[in-house]
Amino acid sequence: MAKLAINGGPRTIDRQIGKSWPIHGETERANLLEVLESGHWWRGGEAEASMVARFEQGFAAFQDAKYGVAITNGTQAIECALKAIGVKPGDEVICPAATFVATATACILVNAIPIVVDIDPANYQISPAAIEAAITERTVGIIPVHYGGYPVDMASIREIASRHGLWIIEDAAHAHGSTWNGQGCGSLSDIGCFSLQMGKTLTAGEGGVCLTNDEALAEKLFSFHHIGRFAGRPFYEHHIVASNLRMTEWQAAVALGGLERLEEQAETRNRNTLYFEKGLREIEGVSPIERDDWVTRWNFYFYHFKFHSEQFGGISRQRFAEALGAEGLGIGSGHLHPIQKNPLFTERNWGPACFGDNEPPDYLSIQTPECDRIAAEEGCSLTHRLFLGGTEDMDLMLEAIAKVRENVAELG
Ligand SMILES: Cc1ncc(COP(=O)(O)O)c(C=O)c1O
């Protein structure tokens, strides 16, 4: 008789695990109604009175930053940061292969050239050694991504940046509530950029935020998101060529509700994953990412663990995913597929971008062997909402994985 659900056996998980996503409550309802009835549906000139300003201040404080500028979305947050930091055509910016493509396309959208480098196989984050090896005289900055919400090795990256005179913009799109040595991700460098798209652990459906501790950068970010205006100057006085990247009051009304729950949710995820990791270590053929000392809280967008085919009866990760899916636990592979393999890079589809006297590299020749291998064979991801329940949910998830391992012969 088959034991595995994929072969007709009983399913391990036949109820919802964690919570459904997105979550909303009374604060969102009240805030949305307040905006509706106020007749003030944009941040406008009265910046201090707006929901957007309240959200900027609240979120910046939550992530340990001094200043926040709310933006339309996470992609444009990175574009805005690149403009504020003064990137010029043909400047080279180093980013990881394992990320969502927007980390790199935001560079191209401001005529900079993303140089894609490999990840560290231990924690799946951008490799400091690979950053160092990719630096040329055209390099101006680094965009480390707290990939999956796991805080990057910021000490090494800061050291490299300061030795080469480079700026750092953190892509913290996955890292709301994550902390590096006790300090909020996104507040650890020149500028931190967040996404509030619906899947993220803090969401307004769409949205973004730039954080900084630098007053001059905060003024530039504000101006670049507000058609070149400067706070405190006449409303129709425009100082720089800039777009309208303002967040709406509706988005901020919703984001403020999520912000109230973020601390508790981050603690729940953290507690559950620590428990889950213990269980994973007991199952042959899978292992957690072993947390580096600097990881004081990992509030992930997706949680990665490792699958080792050779210790798992030789089956592929794909087969493991199918069997686990049949048991009721869906796994993915996050954003591990190396971004430079997208047609936009391999076919050089930059659109109207122009790079001055520099040209993007031949992305087909950029080698990221660790990212390639992990994307193809090893990396497994679980969505953050699964970790918002109790330990009994963790037990069920572990039970499903252990069952597939124990009966792997059925998959031969
Ligand atoms: C790492 C990373 N950077 C940037 C973005 C872009 O954010 P948005 O979708 O809000 O434009 C995303 C979105 O998923 C992301 O995952």
Side-chain angles (χ1 to χ4, degrees), residues 73-76 78 99-100 102-103 145 171 173-174 195-197 200 206-207 301 335:
N73 58 58
T75 308
Q76 290 183 318
I78 303 172
T99 182
F100 181 61
T103 312
V145 178
D171 183 340
H174 301 170
S195 163
L196 304 182
Q197 173 272 334
K200 304 300 186 306
E206 295 280 6
Y301 167 45
H335 293 318

Side-chain angles (χ1 to χ4, degrees), residues 51-171:
M51 288 269 172
V52 172
R54 269 174 53 200
F55 172 66
E56 288 172 339
Q57 285 153 19
F59 185 64
F62 186 78
Q63 297 292 143
D64 303 315
K66 279 196 193 151
Y67 309 100
V69 178
I71 306 283
T72 38
N73 58 58
T75 308
Q76 290 183 318
I78 303 172
E79 282 177 59
C80 190
L82 286 162
K83 288 178 187 164
I85 215 147
V87 79
K88 294 190 296 306
D91 282 350
E92 295 178 7
V93 176
I94 297 174
C95 65
T99 182
F100 181 61
V101 74
T103 312
T105 48
C107 298
I108 298 175
L109 285 162
V110 297
N111 302 313
I113 299 175
I115 302 295
V116 181
V117 303
D118 211 350
I119 55 172
D120 179 337
N123 60 15
Y124 294 4
Q125 304 302 310
I126 192 168
S127 151
I131 294 175
E132 186 96 50
I135 292 173
T136 71
E137 72 278 4
R138 307 297 301 249
T139 310
V140 295
I142 309 166
I143 308 187
V145 178
H146 301 289
Y147 173 66
Y150 186 100
V152 294
D153 180 358
M154 195 48 85
S156 300
I157 295 171
R158 278 178 177 166
E159 191 278 318
I160 294 169
S162 89
R163 196 153 30 80
H164 293 272
L166 310 176
W167 48 251
I168 305 173
I169 293 174
E170 294 160 78
D171 183 340

Side-chain angles (χ1 to χ4, degrees), residues 239-289:
H239 294 259
I240 51 177
V241 178
S243 192
N244 171 4
L245 306 178
R246 292 185 300 263
M247 176 182 275
T248 68
E249 288 287 275
W250 313 110
Q251 287 165 289
V254 174
L256 275 167
L259 186 55
E260 279 181 4
R261 288 184 294 270
L262 185 52
E263 176 62 24
E264 190 196 331
Q265 289 172 344
E267 279 302 304
T268 305
R269 287 190 194 96
N270 205 43
R271 197 171 52 246
N272 274 329
T273 20
L274 289 169
Y275 181 90
F276 185 71
E277 281 167 9
K278 265 199 211 142
L280 269 187
R281 286 193 197 94
E282 305 294 311
I283 305 173
E284 192 189 6
V286 287
S287 59
I289 286 176

